Amino acid sequence: MIEHPFSFGISPSLTLFDTQDRKIQRKLSDLRGHFTDRAALEELVRVGDPIAYEVLDVPRPERAGELISGLSILHPGVVGAEYFMTKGHFHSVRGTAEIYYCLSGAGMLLMENEQGEWKSEILTPGRVVYVAPGWAHRSINTNSDQRLVTFFVYPANAGHDYGAIEGRGFRKLVLRKNDRPEVVDNPHWRASAPEQR
Ligand code: F6R
Ligand code: ZN
């Protein structure tokens, strides 16, 4: 592990260079339970199970003071009416924030906290979203044919808590309606909480 300052690059084709990155790929089958239209998801899994998103990050020791940064690459597509999206998570250490900087494509960052508030922010090239401590976050690709690429930075000791979101989903869904994104209430949000946790 490098213990000195270092630099790396992001190429025009939006991949990292001059660094050893770690790559995570999530297929639609890894996102079971996250999309509302389960039948549509299973059909897409059956006909090829496409990659929904990839994360390239530069590993660092998971201790306070270090930062983890990298690229999140969300492919275009829909499951039923819901755009391809990330699983979404709280940071295990709730007091840790994150920065998202959009490099390419178009989408949204959907956020909510444990006090019942929610917020959505637009992601277009040049926009920066500050995810405040304690806010769960999920990115959504609302463009029908382009990748949504964001650069992120977060404290290396943050950890990822997927359980709370897997149990009850986000309060809001982002659906494609007349080829435009619309934020609507998640009808299953309360009902699904007790039985799935
Ligand atoms: C890290 C972070 C991003 C996401 C990535 C994939 O804290 O927010 O790097 O991890 O966009 O999303 P998830 O982790 O929700 O599958
Ligand atoms: Zn995060």
Side-chain angles (χ1 to χ4, degrees), residues 24 26 31 53-55 57 68 70-73 86-89 91 97-98 100 137-139 150 152 154 158-160 162:
I24 298 161
R26 297 236 195 268
L31 298 170
Y53 60 95
E54 294 157 79
V55 182
D57 68 12
I68 294 178
L71 296 179
S72 164
I73 301 166
T86 58
K87 285 185 172 195
H89 57 266
H91 289 167
E98 182 158 355
Y100 275 75
H137 42 287
R138 156 178 287 168
S139 42
T150 46
F152 58 80
Y154 63 96
H160 294 88
Y162 292 99

Side-chain angles (χ1 to χ4, degrees), residues 54-110:
E54 294 157 79
V55 182
L56 311 177
D57 68 12
V58 181
R60 296 295 308 160
E62 294 181 1
R63 59 176 183 239
E66 291 276 357
L67 296 170
I68 294 178
S69 59
L71 296 179
S72 164
I73 301 166
L74 191 48
H75 294 277
V78 281
V79 176
E82 245 177 312
Y83 295 103
F84 278 16
M85 62 192 186
T86 58
K87 285 185 172 195
H89 57 266
F90 283 96
H91 289 167
S92 308
V93 178
R94 291 291 195 268
T96 52
E98 182 158 355
I99 291 279
Y100 275 75
Y101 175 53
C102 182
L103 297 169
S104 168
M108 292 172 68
L109 199 66
L110 189 59

Side-chain angles (χ1 to χ4, degrees), residues 5-80:
F6 63 95
S7 69
F8 60 91
I10 300 174
S11 73
S13 62
L14 298 176
T15 189
L16 300 178
F17 66 93
D18 283 347
T19 185
Q20 286 190 323
D21 58 307
R22 173 174 60 181
K23 183 169 179 172
I24 298 161
Q25 288 189 334
R26 297 236 195 268
K27 294 182 164 195
L28 282 184
S29 55
D30 298 317
L31 298 170
R32 285 192 171 101
H34 291 279
F35 288 95
T36 309
D37 190 338
R38 292 175 187 206
L41 182 113
E42 290 308 326
E43 182 55 17
L44 289 166
V45 169
R46 194 184 66 78
V47 300
D49 196 11
I51 294 168
Y53 60 95
E54 294 157 79
V55 182
L56 311 177
D57 68 12
V58 181
R60 296 295 308 160
E62 294 181 1
R63 59 176 183 239
E66 291 276 357
L67 296 170
I68 294 178
S69 59
L71 296 179
S72 164
I73 301 166
L74 191 48
H75 294 277
V78 281
V79 176

